Amino acid sequence: MRRPFLHNALLLLTGLCGPAWLPLNAQTRAVPEYMMKASYLYNFMVFAEWPASTDGPSPPEGLLLCVLGQDNFGQALNDLEGKTVNGRRLSVSRLNGLTHVRKCQLLFVTEQEAPNMQAILKHLADAPVLTVADTPVAAGAAILLSLDGKRLIFDVNMQRTKKVGITLSSKVLQLARSTH
């Protein structure tokens, strides 16, 4: 069983050291599901390291967060556009197909696209893309978000992160419900 300090650390991760784009008054009241998910995606990027590569998926000065499929985030992701992640400018892209997924650093696979997860992973191969999904149908994603009552929790697929060369901070791994 996880110690209580881990739950408090998760609140700290998503609230205080989380995105500066979330107004303070919004941090003190209930946060809509997709606003919280956007906060998690931002923090996953903050606490992830991609392999160094001169021919990587994007210019070294930028990071690309992509959504594949029907976007339910709305303004929550728009507010992340242009924010800084570890000294790099964050851009957000909404994708309707696999053509540009290898250019993303983080790829959120929506529920609509989740049944295609194996084809998505095959297309990505070992490209350094952190895959995140929010439905169990998306087996194989590096991070799986899910609701536990009113709490947002996540599981980390260490095999996937290692395969693509992405290192997640121990802070993220301690907050995960499970790592496998």
Side-chain angles (χ1 to χ4, degrees):
M1 179 164 202
R2 297 271 178 207
R3 294 175 284 217
F5 81 89
L6 288 179
H7 177 68
N8 292 336
L10 178 60
L11 293 174
L12 179 66
L13 176 70
T14 59
L16 299 177
C17 72
W21 57 269
L22 191 60
L24 184 57
N25 62 352
Q27 293 176 11
T28 58
R29 55 182 181 196
V31 178
E33 177 183 349
Y34 277 89
M35 185 177 283
M36 183 62 76
K37 287 179 180 179
S39 176
Y40 273 57
L41 297 180
Y42 176 86
N43 282 297
F44 291 149
M45 294 187 85
V46 168
F47 292 103
E49 288 184 33
W50 285 265
S53 174
T54 56
D55 61 343
S58 75
E61 66 275 358
L63 290 172
L64 185 58
L65 186 160
C66 302
V67 176
L68 178 61
Q70 182 179 339
D71 178 8
N72 292 320
F73 287 95
Q75 189 62 34
L77 283 184
N78 293 343
D79 291 341
L80 294 178
E81 185 77 37
K83 296 295 178 188
T84 302
V85 176
N86 301 324
R88 297 169 76 181
R89 185 179 182 280
L90 179 65
S91 297
V92 176
S93 180
R94 280 126 173 128
L95 306 175
N96 293 318
L98 297 180
T99 306
H100 300 291
V101 294
R102 293 177 63 93
K103 294 181 180 181
C104 308
Q105 277 69 50
L106 186 146
L107 175 66
F108 182 83
V109 179
T110 65
E111 186 175 357
Q112 169 194 17
E113 290 294 328
N116 304 321
M117 189 57 144
Q118 294 312 308
I120 294 165
L121 294 175
K122 184 176 179 180
H123 182 79
L124 288 170
D126 58 356
V129 177
L130 183 62
T131 51
V132 181
D134 64 354
T135 177
V137 175
I143 299 176
L144 181 62
L145 294 169
S146 56
L147 287 174
D148 181 18
K150 293 183 180 184
R151 289 182 21 213
L152 191 58
I153 58 175
F154 62 95
D155 300 290
V156 176
N157 179 338
M158 294 299 295
Q159 286 181 313
R160 182 71 192 164
T161 59
K162 286 179 183 175
K163 177 180 180 179
V164 299
I166 296 172
T167 304
L168 293 173
S169 166
S170 62
K171 293 175 184 179
V172 171
L173 298 177
Q174 288 176 346
L175 297 175
R177 177 178 61 178
S178 69
T179 56
H180 56 278

